[in-house]
Amino acid sequence: MIHELAARAGVSSRTLRHYDHIGLVAPTRVGANGYRYYGPDAVVRLQRVLLMRRLGMGLSAIARVLSEEVDQERELAAHVAELEAERDRVDRRIRAVRHTLEALRSGAEPHMDVMLDGFNDRFEDEVVARWGEKAFRASHDWWHGKSLAEQRAWKREVDDLVAAWVDTHRSGAGPASERARAMAARHVEWLSGIPGTPTAEGDRERSIAMVRGLGDLYADDPAFTDTYDGPEGAAFVRDALHEYARTAM
């Protein structure tokens, strides 16, 4: 009956009557005494409506979706995917807030760039486009699974790697020199420590493509050209990685 369904669904009886009035969720039958009874199909439809409301859809939009769909099972599967994506977004926010809280408790600066945003969140679209959602998700989860201290240690390792690249470029070494080759090997080894990357998984062809692609990214993206001591330094890193990928991988 309507009162029982309303209680279980967390809505009011008035809401259910309104949904019936506008054609969203009709009772399966109405008894002679005027009581409204809802069978399994009506409950499934109500679930659909509540899910879409949680996703921010208006009632008119929900009515349009329900009127146009032809495969209820497929649509329910799509809702599951949407809810899982929303769960992932909430989990990421929880991890970010926990790290902020940990930073505050430890007396650290709570808005450090990499510490809170994640090492590749800002480049999610780039990572997914080049190497797939699986690579992004594995590396993202690996990063957010670290404690603040572990993230700091990893960030220091990255800073040391970048500083060594800059020093190598300023020394006048060429991209094909032994020193540049050693730096490229160190860079690839560093990549191998990040879960989800082709280098970590031992995929040779995709590893070569990734190393070359990263080299291009370092030289083309202003955020990285500044990191590697300007356009010439970033181009040097790119050329050294390309040469290493061509001759040593």
Side-chain angles (χ1 to χ4, degrees):
M1 290 190 298
I2 189 170
H3 295 295
E4 181 181 357
L5 179 60
R8 292 189 176 187
V11 298
S12 67
S13 297
R14 182 178 179 181
T15 295
L16 290 181
R17 292 191 183 92
H18 180 61
Y19 286 172
D20 180 19
H21 178 70
I22 63 176
L24 277 184
V25 183
T28 303
R29 65 183 179 88
V30 179
N33 55 4
Y35 288 170
R36 299 164 184 248
Y37 296 89
Y38 293 82
D41 288 344
V43 175
V44 168
R45 190 173 173 90
L46 175 61
Q47 182 190 56
R48 301 281 319 286
V49 171
L50 296 178
L51 286 172
M52 285 187 274
R53 289 291 285 161
R54 287 287 301 275
L55 293 170
M57 294 179 64
L59 294 180
S60 60
I62 294 172
R64 186 167 58 252
V65 169
L66 293 176
S67 67
E68 293 175 353
E69 73 179 27
V70 294
D71 187 336
Q72 181 173 262
E73 187 173 321
R74 184 181 66 185
E75 295 300 329
L76 284 170
H79 280 311
V80 170
E82 291 170 347
L83 289 169
E84 288 176 340
E86 179 63 24
R87 179 187 62 194
D88 289 342
R89 286 191 290 271
V90 172
D91 286 344
R92 290 167 65 176
R93 291 169 188 156
I94 290 173
R95 285 193 293 262
V97 174
R98 280 177 175 165
H99 277 295
T100 303
L101 181 60
E102 185 179 348
L104 289 170
R105 285 174 172 171
S106 67
E109 174 62 43
H111 297 295
M112 289 178 285
D113 182 27
V114 178
M115 299 299 176
L116 299 181
D117 292 336
F119 89 98
N120 59 3
D121 296 47
R122 294 171 298 166
F123 305 105
E124 177 174 357
D125 291 342
E126 182 78 27
V127 173
V128 172
R130 287 176 179 265
W131 303 295
E133 175 69 27
K134 179 182 176 182
F136 173 78
R137 183 57 49 204
S139 57
H140 180 277
D141 291 346
W142 161 81
W143 173 255
H144 286 290
K146 290 179 175 292
S147 67
L148 190 63
E150 290 171 333
Q151 288 181 345
R152 285 173 172 164
W154 191 87
K155 181 62 166 56
R156 285 194 296 270
E157 181 182 352
V158 174
D159 291 342
D160 290 344
L161 178 63
V162 170
W165 270 119
V166 171
D167 187 55
T168 301
H169 171 247
R170 290 180 178 179
S171 74
S177 67
E178 284 301 316
R179 185 170 178 181
R181 182 184 177 90
M183 279 304 309
R186 176 179 171 184
H187 202 101
V188 172
E189 182 179 2
W190 167 72
L191 287 171
S192 299
I194 303 174
T197 60
T199 49
E201 295 177 353
D203 187 327
R204 179 175 178 274
E205 293 301 320
R206 291 180 65 234
S207 293
I208 291 173
M210 183 178 192
V211 170
R212 290 182 60 85
L214 280 176
D216 292 337
L217 182 64
Y218 295 159
D220 296 339
D221 191 316
F224 286 111
T225 55
D226 291 342
T227 297
Y228 288 104
D229 201 30
E232 290 186 2
F236 167 75
V237 176
R238 176 200 61 202
D239 294 344
L241 289 174
H242 281 202
E243 178 67 16
Y244 185 81
R246 183 181 69 84
T247 61
M249 292 184 69

